[in-house]
Amino acid sequence: QVQLVESGGGLVQPGGSLRLTCVVPQSIFNSLNLMAWYHEAPGKDREQVANYGSNGGTRYAESVEGRFTISKDTSTNTLYLQMNSLKPEDTGVYYCYVQTWGSVYWGQGTQVTVSS
């Protein structure tokens, strides 16, 4: 069974930073054609905030552009989301998401709370 292991969430004050981590099993990492992070705010639908395509390009939601950075480390099969200048509206559960040509996989989610 493929499991993505997330970590890095927590409580942070507005303006602060967090880095989320998602470890992807080696068995699928080299077959991925998309890696992404999603945000599920309280009472709202899950929305993609950043993705990393197979061509190496990145895309961001307008709400996080310039504040969040998605990256990966191929030596450790790890996907990251660096979150800077955090705002209260960034609060919620963050999920990593990866897909191959035949399957999709989600992380278990990590809670981020931005509050003073």
Side-chain angles (χ1 to χ4, degrees):
Q1 184 176 359
V2 174
Q3 288 188 324
L4 311 183
V5 180
E6 294 187 44
S7 61
L11 172 64
V12 63
Q13 292 186 342
S17 297
L18 285 173
R19 188 177 76 161
L20 306 184
T21 298
C22 176
V23 180
V24 181
Q26 173 69 53
S27 60
I28 65 168
F29 191 83
N30 293 330
S31 302
L32 300 178
N33 56 39
L34 183 69
M35 308 175 79
W37 287 95
Y38 282 76
H39 171 221
E40 187 172 314
K44 297 188 177 181
D45 293 335
R46 195 174 298 184
E47 296 182 337
Q48 188 182 100
V49 295
N51 76 46
Y52 206 126
S54 59
N55 63 357
T58 57
R59 298 184 67 179
Y60 297 92
E62 185 176 340
S63 60
V64 307
E65 183 79 53
R67 301 188 297 121
F68 290 11
T69 303
I70 188 171
S71 63
K72 63 180 180 179
D73 184 340
T74 57
S75 68
T76 59
N77 310 329
T78 303
L79 179 68
Y80 298 101
L81 184 68
Q82 178 66 43
M83 305 187 295
N84 298 328
S85 302
L86 282 161
K87 303 176 181 180
E89 52 263 44
D90 296 320
T91 293
V93 181
Y94 286 76
Y95 297 89
C96 64
Y97 167 97
V98 301
Q99 70 180 40
T100 65
W101 292 110
S103 302
V104 300
Y105 306 93
W106 290 92
Q108 82 278 14
T110 186
Q111 175 70 40
V112 171
T113 302
V114 185
S115 175
S116 55

